[in-house]
């Protein structure tokens, strides 16, 4: 009897987290707690960092993997694995894009279509980071997956990395979302460094009013044109423009509301939590992760800088009355609407009557389209 | 309303039908071996039998139960001659049985049937065999006996060699070759083109080690995509503006030129903001009560558990 009890207790002990814990688990738990602290106390992208941070806690509770309990995120048939399918098979990101489309007002872009080019220029961050990643020894497909962090678009990064480098997806997703949260810290110094005071004071003309018909035509024409150029971007671009059509057509208000609120919230919760849980110590705590974070940082800097520099070059050919304030160049990285808000705040610092928000929203949403196109290009070339 | 629903339902049904037909049509005969002495695969009974490999060219799983396999040359040739591609009635066909999970072929995957004339040995054993020393026609038919794919394996095919499809030429015709197993591998149950490297990645790693070409190409594509969109919307906004000024001119009884001369009489953003704020103040400054009184009846449903009668102690009997 005594042997039976001790035997069972011994067996139970071997199943507990205490018996299976390793240093890596505690490091990852600390990182998860740090993310939660950042979200709650510093208000850095709480909608994303709370699920990711808590997911990290869930994913890094040690357990006996040999016991066949089917509880780990990488164990087929486990609940977490079923939820993780949206990430690994890449169907959460298009759903998020549906919501983004339903939330986004493309008026600023339609009113001033040339701002789309800023969104394209900022994508150089992706390909600049691609070159650096190759120099660091990553294979082309891995380099492409890492470089997409420069698009400043979490769902796009997850979508592409799930296709090109599934083993790096956790680190890429966490890196992308971390830097998106740090956009207010990363971008302003670059913007100040690359612009003169005179340029920061440029006042842009208010955008013209956009008719309802134009708003309806935009998602239809936008989807057809961009997807004809890059068919591999159909999952993201198709859903983005579909969501926008739901919003703008005026007869599917209920669907647009669901897509932009309930659906996006549900998918964000599942996406954030499962991405966090996928960052298990054994997969995450590697030198590759350090490189990925470094490359992500590089990508954000290059993307922000290339957007600002492009506006400066563009201004050389624009008439004086149509000059663009280069402070909106940073908004070409998608990170909607954070980077547009940074343009606005920085503009107000130098001229309290210079509201750049609506102007910056143009390149900002163009950045969403641009990063999805860039992801499609990388997928087409490397998949 | 009912008619509209009916039309939509019919359209959906047709679309589903077409989709289903298309997926079955993507099934191909991929590789055939007529004489399998001892060098190729054995079946689940340990026997060396002739085999036919089918390939699902779809990027989605394909259920092949209820399709037919046949080596009946006359029936196949008749189906080829038929306008609808239908096999004649009473011809010899082997039906792939229903209810076997293994008949679902994964995307871009293959399945091997043993042509041993012993269908009682399982799903993947046909009721016909392939004959040596003569041309062997092999075909697959859909459930409605429509021809999906067929091939004539030449009589000259040596023993232990397979006849495999290797490519599609520029005219859309299949290119087949004889594989003897030495330099050209026989690949039952696998793709005929053996890929020992990831071609695209390898190519980029070798020819673009620094990523300059990728950066240049990709940036050109991204710029082109957004430039096309930009130009399209410049044109659309011009057309829209022309329509707007036309409508404005019509409503004001003026010419388009006169309207253009007047210019845009837009208020500045500040003015619009001030008007909006004033309107907001006017409409929402005071809280207005709904003036509806809500009186809810408080229900206290009887229950013996809360009853005083049952809860109180009875006076002890004297």
């Amino acid at each position: 009897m005594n042997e039976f009890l001790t035997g069972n207790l011994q067996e139970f002990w071997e199943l507990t987290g205490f018996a299976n814990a390793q240093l890596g688990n505690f490091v990852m738990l600390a990182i998860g707690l740090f993310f939660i602290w950042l979200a709650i106390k510093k208000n850095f992208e709480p909608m994303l960092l709370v699920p990711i941070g808590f997911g990290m806690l869930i994913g890094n509770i040690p357990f006996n993997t040999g016991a066949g309990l089917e509880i780990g995120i990488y164990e087929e048939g486990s609940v977490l694995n079923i939820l993780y399918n949206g990430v690994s098979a890449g169907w959460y990101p298009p759903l998020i894009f549906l919501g983004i489309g339903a939330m986004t007002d493309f008026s600023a872009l339609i009113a001033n279509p040339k701002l789309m080019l800023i969104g394209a220029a900022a994508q150089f961050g992706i390909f600049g980071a691609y070159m650096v990643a190759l120099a660091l020894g990553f294979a082309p497909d891995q380099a492409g997956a890492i470089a997409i962090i420069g698009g400043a678009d979490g769902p796009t990064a997850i979508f592409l990395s799930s296709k090109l480098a599934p083993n790096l997806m956790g680190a890429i997703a966490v890196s992308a979302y971390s830097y998106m949260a740090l956009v207010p810290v990363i971008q302003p110094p670059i913007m100040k460094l690359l612009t003169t005071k005179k340029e920061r004071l440029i006042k842009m003309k208010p955008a013209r009013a956009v008719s309802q018909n134009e708003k309806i035509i935009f998602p239809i024409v936008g989807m057809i044109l961009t997807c004809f150029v890059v068919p591999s971007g159909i999952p993201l671009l198709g859903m983005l423009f579909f969501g926008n059509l739901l919003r703008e057509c005026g007869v599917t208000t209920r669907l647009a509301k669901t897509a932009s609120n309930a659906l996006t919230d549900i998918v964000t919760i599942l996406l954030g939590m499962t991405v966090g849980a996928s960052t298990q110590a054994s997969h995450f705590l590697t030198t590759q992760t350090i490189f990925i974070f470094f490359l992500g940082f590089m990508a954000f800097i290059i993307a922000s800088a290339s957007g600002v520099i492009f506006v400066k070059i563009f201004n050389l050919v624009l008439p004086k009355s149509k000059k663009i304030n280069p402070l909106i160049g940073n908004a070409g990285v998608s990170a909607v609407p954070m980077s547009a808000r940074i343009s606005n705040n920085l503009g107000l610092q130098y001229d309290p009557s210079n509201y750049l928000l609506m102007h910056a929203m143009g390149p900002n949403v163009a950045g969403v389209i641009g990063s999805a196109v860039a992801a499609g290009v990388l997928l087409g070339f490397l998949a | 309303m009912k008619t509209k629903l009916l039309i939509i339902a019919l359209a959906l049904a047709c679309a589903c039908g077409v989709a289903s037909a298309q997926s079955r049509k993507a099934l191909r005969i991929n590789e055939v071996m007529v004489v399998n002495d001892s060098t190729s695969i054995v079946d689940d009974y340990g026997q060396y039998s002739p085999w036919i490999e089918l390939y699902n060219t779809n990027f989605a799983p394909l259920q092949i139960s209820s399709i037919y396999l046949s080596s009946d040359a006359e029936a196949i040739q008749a189906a080829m001659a038929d306008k609808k591609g239908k096999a004649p009635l009473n011809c010899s066909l082997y039906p792939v049985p229903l209810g076997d999970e293994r008949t679902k072929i994964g995307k871009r995957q293959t399945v091997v049937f043993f042509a041993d004339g012993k269908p009682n040995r399982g799903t993947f054993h046909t009721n016909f065999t392939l004959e040596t020393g003569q041309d062997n026609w092999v075909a697959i038919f859909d459930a409605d006996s429509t021809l999906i794919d067929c091939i004539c394996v030449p009589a000259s095919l040596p023993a232990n060699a397979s006849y495999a499809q290797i490519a599609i030429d520029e005219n859309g015709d299949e290119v087949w070759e004889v594989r003897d197993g030495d330099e050209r591998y026989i690949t039952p149950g696998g793709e005929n083109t053996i890929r020992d490297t990831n071609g695209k990645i390898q190519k980029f790693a070798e020819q673009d080690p620094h990523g300059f070409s990728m950066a240049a190409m990709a940036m050109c594509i991204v710029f082109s995509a957004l430039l096309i969109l930009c130009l399209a919307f410049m044109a659309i906004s011009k057309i829209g503006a022309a329509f707007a000024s036309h409508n404005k001119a019509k409503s004001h009884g003026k010419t388009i030129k006169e309207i253009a001369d007047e210019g845009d009489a837009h208020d500045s953003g500040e003015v619009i903001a001030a008007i909006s704020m004033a309107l907001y103040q006017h409409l929402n400054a005071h809280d207005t009560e709904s003036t509806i009184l809500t009186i809810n009846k408080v229900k206290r449903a009887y229950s013996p558990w809360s009853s005083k009668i049952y809860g109180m102690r009875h006076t002890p009997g004297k």
Side-chain angles (χ1 to χ4, degrees):
Chain A
M1 185 65 182
N2 198 19
E3 243 177 58
F4 173 74
L5 284 174
T6 49
N8 270 316
L9 285 173
Q10 174 70 26
E11 204 174 299
F12 179 74
W13 169 254
E14 279 164 14
L15 292 176
T16 63
F18 298 107
N20 293 289
Q22 289 176 343
L23 181 65
N25 296 112
F26 293 109
V27 174
M28 288 309 299
L29 289 175
I31 295 174
L33 289 173
F34 175 66
F35 271 55
I36 294 171
W37 177 80
L38 273 182
I40 296 171
K41 288 290 176 192
K42 298 287 173 186
N43 209 25
F44 279 1
E45 294 273 352
M47 304 287 181
L48 298 167
L49 290 192
V50 168
I52 290 178
F54 202 81
M56 282 179 164
L57 302 187
I58 292 173
N60 284 285
I61 300 292
F63 61 93
N64 187 346
T65 47
L69 299 173
E70 290 191 358
I71 48 172
I73 196 160
Y74 295 113
E75 286 181 78
E76 200 173 337
S78 73
V79 175
L80 284 177
N81 184 263
I82 291 165
L83 297 177
Y84 186 59
N85 181 267
V87 178
S88 55
W91 53 269
Y92 283 156
L95 287 179
I96 296 260
F97 260 63
L98 178 76
I100 293 173
M103 279 184 235
T104 307
D105 182 1
F106 283 101
S107 302
L109 199 61
I110 301 167
N112 197 356
K114 63 177 178 284
L115 297 180
M116 284 184 205
L117 299 180
I118 304 174
Q123 305 314 316
F124 188 68
I126 295 174
F127 303 106
Y130 174 79
M131 290 191 275
V132 182
L134 285 181
L136 285 175
F138 284 99
D141 48 347
Q142 292 179 324
I146 297 166
I148 199 68
I149 299 171
D153 208 321
T156 312
I158 290 168
F159 178 77
L160 193 68
S161 54
S162 70
K163 307 281 177 203
L164 293 183
N167 57 324
L168 302 179
M169 187 172 57
I172 290 169
V174 172
S175 170
Y177 281 120
S178 309
Y179 288 127
M180 275 164 68
L182 292 173
V183 158
V185 181
I186 298 170
Q187 287 194 328
I190 301 164
M191 294 155 74
K192 285 178 188 169
L193 187 73
L194 294 172
T195 53
T196 62
K197 198 177 176 191
K198 194 182 163 193
E199 286 171 330
R200 288 174 218 144
L201 293 172
I202 292 174
K203 271 199 172 180
M204 296 170 69
K205 272 188 180 176
R208 70 174 175 84
V210 174
S211 71
Q212 184 70 14
N213 285 342
E214 283 177 280
K215 286 183 185 178
I216 293 171
I217 293 169
F218 182 78
I220 298 168
V221 173
M223 193 280 288
I224 292 171
L225 290 181
T226 52
C227 290
F228 260 75
V229 178
V230 192
S232 41
I234 287 171
L236 297 177
L237 290 164
M239 293 300 259
L240 176 79
F241 287 120
F242 173 52
N244 191 247
L245 181 65
L246 290 180
R247 172 198 166 96
E248 301 297 357
C249 69
V251 289
T252 53
T253 317
R254 252 174 53 199
L255 300 187
K257 268 187 185 170
T258 305
S260 60
N261 295 313
L263 183 64
T264 306
D265 289 350
I266 291 167
V267 180
T268 305
I269 291 167
L270 295 175
L271 179 79
M273 195 274 288
T274 47
V275 162
S278 70
T279 59
Q280 289 185 348
S282 53
H283 290 69
F284 196 79
L285 293 177
T286 60
T287 45
Q288 275 191 330
T289 305
I290 298 167
F291 282 140
I292 289 169
F293 270 75
F294 166 72
L295 287 166
F297 185 63
M298 289 279 306
F300 260 69
I301 291 175
I302 299 170
S304 308
S306 50
V308 176
I309 293 168
F310 177 78
V311 176
K312 284 166 72 97
I313 297 168
F314 203 23
N315 273 343
L316 297 175
V317 294
L318 288 175
K320 204 179 174 185
S321 61
K322 290 186 177 176
K323 295 256 189 248
I324 301 170
N325 191 321
L327 288 181
I328 69 167
N330 73 301
V333 304
S334 49
V336 183
M338 187 83 83
S339 49
R341 223 181 289 150
I342 290 160
S343 307
N344 189 52
N345 293 346
L346 212 58
L348 288 174
Q349 267 184 31
Y350 292 94
D351 179 356
S353 67
N354 196 4
Y355 292 93
L356 293 171
L357 186 66
M358 284 316 289
H359 301 294
M361 279 309 288
N364 210 186
V365 292
V368 178
I369 301 171
S371 61
V373 172
V377 172
L378 286 169
L379 198 61
F381 280 142
L382 300 172
Chain B
M1 187 64 186
K2 275 183 182 173
T3 320
K4 278 183 188 173
L5 282 173
L6 196 66
I7 292 167
I8 292 169
L10 276 172
L12 282 173
C14 291
C16 290
V18 170
S20 161
Q22 280 174 346
S23 60
R24 281 271 175 96
K25 279 178 185 166
L27 193 63
R28 287 284 169 272
I29 297 168
N30 202 41
E31 196 171 358
V32 181
M33 181 180 274
V34 177
V35 182
N36 178 13
D37 281 351
S38 59
T39 55
S40 189
I41 56 168
V42 289
D43 65 14
D44 33 2
Y45 285 78
Q47 303 296 310
Y48 290 96
S49 312
W51 49 262
I52 301 159
E53 181 191 68
L54 305 184
Y55 179 50
N56 172 18
T57 59
N58 275 319
F59 280 89
L62 179 63
Q63 179 56 261
I64 58 161
S65 58
S66 80
I67 66 158
Y68 298 99
L69 272 85
S70 177
S71 66
D72 184 340
E74 281 180 20
I76 296 165
Q77 282 162 355
M80 286 169 73
D82 186 53
K83 274 184 185 174
K84 291 180 181 175
K86 295 254 184 187
L89 295 171
N90 304 324
C91 67
S92 169
L93 302 171
Y94 169 69
V96 178
L98 293 165
D100 190 335
E101 282 185 4
R102 294 172 299 167
T103 52
K104 188 175 182 181
I105 315 177
K107 62 174 184 180
R108 316 286 289 174
Q109 297 300 305
T110 57
V111 65
V112 174
F113 284 86
F114 293 96
D116 53 5
K118 293 168 182 166
N120 56 336
R121 287 190 166 179
T123 302
F124 298 102
H125 295 261
T126 64
N127 60 0
F128 59 84
T129 57
L130 300 179
E131 303 298 331
T132 53
Q134 66 175 59
D135 287 352
N136 279 287
W137 281 86
V138 180
I140 38 178
F141 291 93
D142 208 343
D144 61 352
S145 68
T146 312
L147 184 66
I148 298 174
D149 191 25
C150 66
I151 181 68
C152 178
V153 184
S156 58
L157 186 70
N160 298 315
S162 76
Y163 195 54
Q165 191 211 317
I166 50 163
I168 304 282
D169 67 12
E170 60 267 21
N171 302 322
D173 296 328
E174 293 171 351
V175 181
W176 290 74
E177 70 173 14
V178 176
R179 294 185 162 188
D180 55 11
D182 290 334
E183 286 179 11
R184 293 170 179 167
Y185 299 113
I186 297 167
T187 56
E191 280 192 51
N192 292 345
T193 315
I194 296 168
R195 290 183 294 175
D196 49 3
T197 59
N198 190 338
K200 278 186 180 177
I201 308 293
Q202 193 88 10
K203 198 171 71 184
F204 270 96
E206 283 169 9
Q207 296 180 6
D208 185 28
H210 305 295
F212 295 125
S213 308
M214 165 66 97
M217 283 186 299
M219 281 308 287
C220 283
I221 296 170
V222 174
F223 257 103
S224 317
L226 288 171
L227 188 64
I228 291 169
L229 201 56
C230 169
L231 294 174
F233 270 85
M234 280 178 168
I236 288 170
S237 62
K238 278 196 177 170
I239 296 166
F243 267 109
S245 58
H246 178 261
N247 289 342
K248 196 175 172 185
K250 205 175 170 185
S251 63
H252 286 71
K254 294 177 181 175
T255 62
I256 294 172
K257 194 170 179 293
E258 283 170 343
I259 292 289
D261 290 342
E262 282 176 10
D264 282 342
H266 281 311
D267 290 317
S268 70
E270 286 86 352
V271 173
I272 293 169
I275 293 168
S276 307
M277 204 183 287
L279 279 170
Y280 180 79
Q281 284 283 320
H282 176 70
L283 296 171
N284 301 305
H286 304 289
D287 283 344
T288 46
E289 296 291 336
S290 62
T291 66
I292 297 169
L293 283 176
T294 314
I295 301 169
N296 283 330
K297 187 184 173 188
V298 179
K299 282 185 183 172
R300 285 220 177 99
Y302 171 78
S303 159
W305 296 103
S306 60
S307 168
K308 282 183 182 176
I309 303 165
Y310 292 104
M312 284 173 75
R313 282 185 174 189
H314 293 288
T315 317
K318 288 179 182 175

